[in-house]
Amino acid sequence: MDINKLRDIFIEEANEIIEKLDVDIINFEEDPSDKELLNELFRGVHTLKGSANSFGFSRLGEFVHHFEDALDYYRNSKAEVTSQVIDTFLNAVDLIKEVMFVEVDGLDALPEGYHECLARIKSLLSEEALPKESTPPLCSEVDLGAEFDLTEEVELDKTPNQSSLLVPLAVDIEILKNKLFEEEVLYKILLTIDDDIYFRGFDHIKFLALLSKEGHILTSYWNMANVPNLEGFDPEKSCVGSIEIYLASKQTQEAIQSVFEYLEEHEYHIEVLVKSEKKPPIPIQKEEIKYGRRQEDEAEIESEVKTNSPQVRRKTDAASFVKIDTGKLDELFDSIGELVIAQNFLAENEAIMNMKNESITKTIGVLSKITKLIQSRVMSLRMVPVQETFEKMKRVARDASKKVNKEISLVIEGGDTEIDKTMIDALSDPLIHLIRNAIDHGIEDGPSQREELRKSPIGVVTLRAYHRGGNVAIEIVDDGRGINKERVLAKALERGIVNPDDELSDAQIFGLIMQAGFSTAAQVSDISGRGVGLDVVRTSIEKLNGKVEIASEQGKGSTFTILLPLTLAIIDGMLVRCEKDTYIIPTLSVLESFIPKQENVHSFKHKGEFIDLRGKMIPIIRLNEVLNTSKTAPKAWESTLVCIESEKGRYALLIDDLIGRQQVVIKPLGPALSSIKEISGSAIMGNGEIALILNTEELFMPHEVNSELRA
């Protein structure tokens, strides 16, 4: 394989490891008794070290090597992992990210804080943890220990009067025993291979590679006392005296012995030292399964829980998943979209419909079902759970709470809710802003304030995902002070965002805080108060064809709800007709549709029309006038009104007729139409027509209506 391709694979896998380190460290802080998490951290760092050294990223390899030493110390000792230690671990992960960028870009300068962080990591290691100074990797280019899963660095005796000699100095079986996983056995293997091994087509490294497939090598010691000087060296003979190997494996002694089937009996010796005493995880009991299951399903559920345990998943991950370039998935999805359009052509073709052939009709029906099934399957390929993104927010909440000196608990719910992969990538920044905002502005300033309100001294921020209709809802809920409506409205009046005569609902007032540059903070902090953030959230979510809803009760807390479509490629829309053209309104924005009564339609000085909808006056917007397609003015009570919810308020869109509701494949607009703000995209209908997708946020201008009312 091309070296550049290998390098790209390494960078991708390294980034995955680094992202997981953040999450695992935060989870370990929540449950310091979970040693398996610490082992998982160690394995990730160990893999990263070996890969970095293999590609010549020596600075990254050195830094990760010392981080690995610290993790190894804490996983093999009873030392307490304090909050300060977690801070150091997280700071180390941040530095690893920066060093990674430096190495990939080939820069000479090290990131700021590199040496300080390295010093803090070394300071974690007491004299009891490392009796001798930790040695650097044996080679800056290739880490053989990582390649063969050797998790212990060998000690070099560099006494001038002796040959290079790697000897087993006080092997502590108890330490090695603590490294065993459930059901693993610790084997001691002694290799004393004759010096003609090279003539027989073997070498010692091959046997280590074979052993690493049967388990993981904890440590090994090489007796190199018989290596002569250069003048007496014979490259055709082996000078290795013996190798002492400590292997952890779930395989039987016979299986380990089969590795050496081509050696003579006197050339190897296998000894069973100890078996792991760790118990396998306790399976979930039936009574712990919530939400009510039928009795006949309980056995199946318990079986599923056992099969999906972390250990089983780790064994089958490699066989169950294949990495695919998302670009290829996009191409496949576009092709399926074209297939759907072609199938609709057939289903709505008048010539075929007029044939009235039962066989053809049945075949087209089957084709329609298969097409929808394929479309559904391909869509599911792009869907990923939000859990991974939610887990990353734990680090955001931890850092923000420390900066503002508040004790915060982040609760995650609905992490298994799935959403389009492209939307997941764009969701991180809005979530970061909203969580920081909840912690800085939402939660009260101290435990005393919360206790006065009979609240827990620890502020709670909940991150929740669930399905609402055909969309995904993500809520950021805090149990803090809530939003002060009067203060927000006063600030908006001061800045001229609204007028004194405007009648605004609670939702509209809360929505004002998402205006650009809007802030009611008395002081600017490191994480908020500058008037940027929430407007970025709104803009980012609108780009995803979604919207943000805000609900709040003063003294009890606030809820920010992000509503998103399941995918960006397909939209669930209401098809409407205006004049002779077909348009699509995203159903996410539609509240209801109706034909009004004449007595409920009002006109103000012939400049503005309103509909009295259950006691509320809602402005009527004529679609043909907004798009300037014609100047005809049909009577409102002879037309259909669609009630639209937008960030600027509710309004009734006047159209000629409703066609129906349909999922359509979104097509981008060409350069000529991309500047029309009222249109967000297009779709090809089954009859070949092109329908334009309306941007409901740009059809209504409340200030124009208000100015007309005051005229």
Side-chain angles (χ1 to χ4, degrees):
M1 187 181 290
D2 180 46
I3 186 65
N4 292 325
K5 182 68 175 176
L6 285 172
R7 184 186 176 99
D8 291 341
I9 293 173
F10 159 69
I11 293 171
E12 180 184 352
E13 292 181 347
N15 285 330
E16 289 178 2
I17 292 172
I18 294 169
E19 285 184 4
K20 192 173 185 301
L21 290 178
D22 252 340
V23 175
D24 286 346
I25 291 171
I26 297 296
N27 289 338
F28 181 69
E29 183 180 31
E30 294 174 358
D31 184 10
S33 63
D34 190 351
K35 289 294 185 181
E36 178 56 31
L37 258 179
L38 204 52
N39 288 330
E40 194 74 25
L41 277 167
F42 178 83
R43 284 193 290 269
V45 171
H46 180 72
T47 302
L48 185 61
K49 181 190 76 170
S51 301
N53 286 329
S54 297
F55 280 91
F57 294 161
S58 54
R59 292 173 293 179
L60 177 61
E62 180 193 5
F63 187 89
V64 174
H65 171 68
H66 291 291
F67 188 25
E68 180 190 32
D69 285 343
L71 290 171
D72 194 36
Y73 166 58
Y74 282 101
R75 76 187 187 122
N76 291 318
S77 71
K78 295 182 180 179
E80 182 185 0
V81 182
T82 62
S83 177
Q84 290 74 21
V85 173
I86 294 293
D87 288 340
T88 302
F89 285 178
L90 291 172
N91 190 21
V93 174
D94 292 338
L95 258 296
I96 288 173
K97 294 176 186 175
E98 294 182 30
V99 176
M100 180 77 181
F101 291 137
V102 167
E103 294 281 30
V104 170
D105 294 339
L107 304 177
D108 294 330
L110 285 169
E112 185 179 350
Y114 176 90
H115 295 292
E116 292 81 356
C117 183
L118 195 57
R120 283 197 298 274
I121 291 173
K122 291 180 178 179
S123 69
L124 296 177
L125 304 173
S126 63
E127 291 183 5
E128 292 78 17
L130 287 180
K132 295 193 176 183
E133 186 177 350
S134 180
T135 60
L138 294 179
C139 176
S140 63
E141 296 298 324
V142 180
D143 183 1
L144 292 177
E147 184 175 348
F148 298 108
D149 201 16
L150 307 179
T151 58
E152 293 289 331
E153 296 294 335
V154 294
E155 296 286 339
L156 267 83
D157 184 355
K158 295 193 176 178
T159 308
N161 296 328
Q162 295 180 356
S163 304
S164 295
L165 181 62
L166 296 173
V167 295
L169 298 175
V171 177
D172 193 330
I173 301 302
E174 283 301 314
I175 291 180
L176 297 181
K177 179 181 175 182
N178 289 334
K179 296 181 181 181
L180 298 178
F181 298 119
E182 294 85 0
E183 300 180 359
E184 282 190 336
V185 176
L186 178 62
Y187 292 99
K188 176 184 176 182
I189 302 169
L190 182 63
L191 296 182
T192 53
I193 304 177
D194 295 340
D195 61 6
D196 64 345
I197 181 175
Y198 303 140
F199 285 104
R200 289 185 274 164
F202 299 108
D203 60 41
H204 305 80
I205 299 298
K206 284 185 179 179
F207 290 110
L208 266 69
L210 291 171
L211 285 173
S212 66
K213 293 179 180 179
E214 302 296 331
H216 53 107
I217 299 174
L218 301 180
T219 187
S220 64
Y221 301 94
W222 296 54
N223 184 348
M224 308 296 286
N226 297 328
V227 177
N229 55 31
L230 192 59
E231 290 77 11
F233 182 75
D234 185 352
E236 295 183 350
K237 290 185 178 181
S238 170
C239 301
V240 179
S242 64
I243 306 176
E244 193 172 302
I245 304 165
Y246 291 86
L247 175 74
S249 175
K250 293 182 180 180
Q251 302 295 336
T252 62
Q253 186 170 351
E254 290 75 18
I256 302 299
Q257 193 167 344
S258 66
V259 171
F260 309 108
E261 60 182 333
Y262 295 107
L263 294 182
E264 300 293 336
E265 289 187 6
H266 70 274
E267 291 182 306
Y268 68 93
H269 175 71
I270 302 173
E271 179 184 352
V272 176
L273 294 182
V274 68
K275 187 174 181 179
S276 173
E277 296 176 355
K278 295 179 181 177
K279 303 295 183 185
I282 300 172
I284 296 176
Q285 300 299 318
K286 295 179 184 178
E287 56 267 25
E288 294 178 29
I289 300 175
K290 300 180 180 179
Y291 308 118
R293 301 284 189 183
R294 295 176 303 159
Q295 279 189 333
E296 56 264 35
D297 290 339
E298 289 186 352
E300 182 182 345
I301 291 170
E302 185 175 359
S303 170
E304 184 181 342
V305 169
K306 288 180 180 177
T307 2
N308 288 326
S309 68
Q311 271 202 319
V312 175
R313 280 203 303 271
R314 273 199 295 271
K315 288 181 180 178
T316 58
D317 275 351
S320 302
F321 295 94
V322 177
K323 289 187 178 180
I324 300 176
D325 186 354
T326 52
K328 292 182 179 179
L329 282 180
D330 292 338
E331 291 175 6
L332 177 61
F333 200 88
D334 291 341
S335 301
I336 294 298
E338 298 298 330
L339 178 62
V340 171
I341 293 170
Q343 186 272 327
N344 288 337
F345 281 159
L346 288 175
E348 299 181 22
N349 188 289
E350 291 186 10
I352 294 176
M353 293 170 67
N354 292 334
M355 292 174 65
K356 296 182 179 180
N357 185 303
E358 184 179 348
S359 177
I360 292 177
T361 304
K362 184 177 180 181
T363 302
I364 290 177
V366 172
L367 175 63
S368 176
K369 289 180 180 179
I370 294 174
T371 304
K372 288 180 180 177
L373 180 63
I374 294 174
Q375 183 185 25
S376 174
R377 292 287 186 270
V378 173
M379 278 185 63
S380 68
L381 294 177
R382 294 165 55 120
M383 307 297 282
V384 294
V386 296
Q387 181 70 35
E388 188 175 336
T389 300
F390 279 13
E391 290 285 344
K392 294 177 185 177
M393 295 303 116
K394 290 182 178 180
R395 172 76 189 274
V396 175
R398 184 184 189 275
D399 291 348
S401 64
K402 283 186 171 292
K403 283 186 178 180
V404 295
N405 197 25
K406 297 178 183 179
E407 197 169 353
I408 301 295
S409 171
L410 180 67
V411 178
I412 291 176
E413 299 176 3
D416 56 349
T417 305
E418 292 188 335
I419 197 169
D420 195 303
K421 173 70 169 66
T422 54
M423 300 179 75
I424 281 284
D425 297 338
L427 197 57
S428 290
D429 284 346
L431 288 180
I432 289 171
H433 284 302
L434 289 175
I435 288 174
R436 285 177 173 174
N437 181 76
I439 293 172
D440 194 22
H441 291 301
I443 302 298
E444 292 84 356
D445 290 333
S448 57
Q449 288 187 15
R450 292 182 61 83
E451 287 169 358
E452 287 175 7
L453 298 170
R454 296 182 178 179
K455 295 181 180 180
S456 164
I458 301 175
V460 179
V461 177
T462 303
L463 188 55
R464 180 186 300 121
Y466 57 93
H467 288 281
R468 184 196 288 184
N471 304 294
V472 172
I474 297 175
E475 291 183 350
I476 298 89
V477 185
D478 68 74
D479 67 342
R481 57 171 67 94
I483 299 174
N484 189 323
K485 286 192 303 182
E486 291 73 20
R487 190 175 176 185
V488 170
L489 189 56
K491 190 72 174 180
L493 289 169
E494 177 188 326
R495 295 194 54 203
I497 297 175
V498 296
N499 297 299
D501 299 333
D502 292 347
E503 293 185 8
L504 302 176
S505 65
D506 288 353
Q508 288 174 304
I509 294 174
F510 295 146
L512 294 173
I513 66 176
M514 306 196 84
Q515 296 289 327
F518 191 94
S519 177
T520 60
Q523 295 181 341
V524 173
S525 70
D526 288 343
I527 60 176
S528 61
R530 294 176 174 81
V532 294
L534 292 183
D535 63 309
V536 175
V537 170
R538 185 187 63 182
T539 304
S540 300
I541 298 303
E542 286 176 355
K543 286 180 180 178
L544 299 175
N545 298 327
K547 65 177 183 179
V548 182
E549 296 177 351
I550 305 174
S552 182
E553 186 175 352
Q554 200 160 354
K556 293 190 176 179
S558 305
T559 300
F560 287 75
T561 304
I562 299 174
L563 284 176
L564 295 167
L566 286 174
T567 175
L568 288 176
I570 289 180
I571 188 173
D572 190 19
M574 180 176 285
L575 274 61
V576 301
R577 183 174 287 112
C578 184
E579 303 293 338
K580 295 181 180 179
D581 298 320
T582 302
Y583 299 93
I584 299 170
I585 305 174
T587 53
L588 190 64
S589 305
V590 177
L591 295 177
E592 59 182 304
S593 60
F594 57 94
I595 298 176
K597 295 180 180 179
Q598 183 175 353
E599 59 267 23
N600 291 336
V601 178
H602 304 277
S603 178
F604 189 83
K605 292 186 179 180
H606 307 290
K607 292 185 178 180
E609 293 177 289
F610 293 84
I611 177 69
D612 184 353
L613 184 61
R614 294 184 287 276
K616 291 186 177 180
M617 301 298 288
I618 298 176
I620 297 175
I621 305 297
R622 293 177 177 268
L623 183 60
N624 63 328
E625 291 182 3
V626 173
L627 299 180
N628 199 23
T629 56
S630 71
K631 295 186 178 180
T632 58
K635 296 176 181 178
W637 53 88
E638 295 177 354
S639 304
T640 300
L641 297 181
V642 180
C643 188
I644 304 291
E645 180 75 66
S646 74
E647 289 291 333
K648 300 167 185 175
R650 292 184 181 181
Y651 62 93
L653 189 65
L654 189 147
I655 57 171
D656 292 338
D657 195 14
L658 286 176
I659 299 174
R661 179 175 174 176
Q662 185 176 327
Q663 282 192 339
V664 294
V665 179
I666 301 173
K667 298 290 183 182
L669 297 169
L673 297 176
S674 58
S675 60
I676 303 177
K677 60 184 181 179
E678 293 86 1
I679 305 297
S680 61
S682 63
I684 302 175
M685 309 310 297
N687 57 5
E689 282 187 26
I690 295 178
L692 297 177
I693 302 171
L694 299 175
N695 182 358
T696 54
E697 294 295 331
E698 297 295 339
L699 297 176
F700 174 48
M701 296 298 170
H703 290 297
E704 293 178 8
V705 174
N706 291 332
S707 62
E708 288 173 358
L709 288 172
R710 289 191 296 272

